[in-house]
Amino acid sequence: MAFWQKHWTTAAPIVAWLTYLASFSGVVPTLVLAATLIASVLAAVHHAELVAHRVGEPFGTFLLAVAVTVIELGLIVTLMSAGGESATTLARDTVFAAVMIILNGLVGVCILIGALRHKEQVFQQVGVSASLATICALTVLTLVLPNFTLSEAGPVYSTSQLAFVAVVSFLLYATFVGVQTVRHRDYFLPDKAVVADQEIHAAPPSNARTAASGILLVLCLGAVVLLAKTLAPAIEGAVSAAGAPRAIVGVIIAALVLLPEGVAALRAALANRLQTSLNLGLGSALATIGLTIPAVAALSLVMGLPIALGLDTKSVVLLLLTLIVSTLTLGTGRTTVLQGAVHLVIFAVYLFTTIVP
């Protein structure tokens, strides 16, 4: 027991991959798959925090966001390639679900629990404002504008439009990364005067330990995505049995994939490091759009697969409400329980209207 308690974060990804491989035989119970997935999430958070402590902010949160997004992207591309025309809206639904989960669910919970414990929390408004401005531009260009272009009927871009939007989306995200990690890195650093987490003062891990944790982090994230994919049929069956719309499956899968970042963001908020929580959440939303849309657009152009990006009217309203409220609630550099409650109410409405369209 003592050995497991000390080394479980190393054993978890190994057990997860063995469980995933064993699942091909069809003898692994769904509950075992779910438990292994949760263990992988917790281990991923541990290794991500260790790597982040070594490389410093905001590189640590950036690495976790990009790692999760790249693996999620691989899953989306695989499903699109296999699904053909039936996967026309897969990228749109996944990106929209991720944005709503992050901007309303994750940000709302982090603000709420942080405010309940610390009453009022502060963050670097200039960095958060830059993130929100980039998110607003990317979401509208990729998920709203396709409904209003004239070259193609319906919620789709023409070939030239799709290529153009894919390029500018990637360039915009790359510009943001350069600002966050190099040119204006100080805009995204937490205020050390309010940091309550004593771990930040501990000696950073060695290079060898950091490298090992980096490898284990990738293994954990890969296991999370693959186990989530394996659980998808069981989730679809449960959703169908409950009579819920098929769209709820995408929400559940997106939530499972975002679990590592979500747990890390919640831990940071409880430790009075809301800046780290926002870096994780907003950075994940940006990476999801800035990397996923260009990649699936390239796949669509190369393989001739149809792709619909434009949201329906209800989703457009909820997205625009989310962007406006996010800009207002995060526009002062300080948060209270009210901001968290507002975001969680919008998230509850999103979930309810997904189940009851």
Side-chain angles (χ1 to χ4, degrees), residues 21-63:
L21 294 175
S23 67
F24 288 106
S25 64
V27 298
V28 181
T30 300
L31 288 178
V32 173
L33 290 172
T36 307
L37 184 148
I38 293 173
S40 298
V41 167
L42 297 177
V45 172
H46 169 80
H47 294 299
E49 291 180 340
L50 190 147
V51 173
H53 186 40
R54 176 63 183 180
V55 302
E57 288 293 340
F59 294 104
T61 54
F62 167 72
L63 290 175

Side-chain angles (χ1 to χ4, degrees), residues 35-312:
T36 307
L37 184 148
I38 293 173
S40 298
V41 167
L42 297 177
V45 172
H46 169 80
H47 294 299
E49 291 180 340
L50 190 147
V51 173
H53 186 40
R54 176 63 183 180
V55 302
E57 288 293 340
F59 294 104
T61 54
F62 167 72
L63 290 175
L64 178 58
V66 172
V68 170
T69 303
V70 168
I71 295 175
E72 179 186 13
L73 174 59
L75 177 60
I76 293 174
V77 170
T78 300
L79 294 176
M80 280 189 64
S81 301
E85 293 188 4
S86 62
T88 301
T89 62
L90 177 64
R92 179 197 69 186
D93 294 340
T94 303
V95 169
F96 179 58
V99 170
M100 296 300 288
I101 289 171
I102 292 169
L103 291 186
N104 289 318
L106 180 58
V107 170
V109 170
C110 287
I111 292 175
L112 183 64
I113 64 172
L116 289 175
R117 170 170 287 193
H118 305 286
K119 293 188 177 180
E120 186 179 73
Q121 292 183 294
V122 299
F123 56 87
Q124 289 260 40
Q125 181 185 349
V126 63
V128 170
S129 295
S131 301
L132 286 175
T134 311
I135 289 174
C136 289
L138 286 175
T139 51
V140 172
L141 289 176
T142 57
L143 300 178
V144 179
L145 187 59
N147 291 326
F148 301 96
T149 54
L150 302 177
S151 298
E152 293 283 347
V156 298
Y157 276 131
S158 66
T159 300
S160 59
Q161 290 172 338
L162 182 62
F164 179 78
V165 169
V167 171
V168 297
S169 296
F170 179 77
L171 291 178
L172 188 55
Y173 176 67
T175 303
F176 171 80
V177 171
V179 168
Q180 183 189 41
T181 58
V182 181
R183 193 172 184 85
H184 296 289
R185 180 189 172 194
D186 55 310
Y187 291 172
F188 301 87
L189 296 177
D191 187 352
K192 294 183 180 180
V194 298
V195 172
D197 188 358
Q198 296 301 316
E199 290 183 2
I200 198 170
H201 302 296
S206 63
N207 290 335
R209 188 181 178 190
T210 302
S213 285
I215 295 173
L216 291 170
L217 172 61
V218 173
L219 291 176
C220 287
L221 295 175
V224 168
V225 174
L226 292 175
L227 288 172
K229 179 182 177 182
T230 304
L231 286 168
I235 295 172
E236 289 182 359
V239 169
S240 299
R246 187 182 179 88
I248 199 68
V249 176
V251 177
I252 297 173
I253 297 301
L256 289 175
V257 172
L258 290 169
L259 265 178
E261 293 165 302
V263 174
L266 291 177
R267 285 165 59 96
L270 287 172
N272 202 21
R273 291 188 284 119
L274 184 61
Q275 181 71 55
T276 299
S277 299
L278 294 177
N279 286 347
L280 273 169
L282 301 181
S284 299
L286 283 166
T288 297
I289 307 170
L291 295 178
T292 301
I293 296 300
V296 297
L299 180 69
S300 174
L301 294 173
V302 172
M303 300 184 63
L305 296 176
I307 176 174
L309 294 178
L311 296 170
D312 57 68

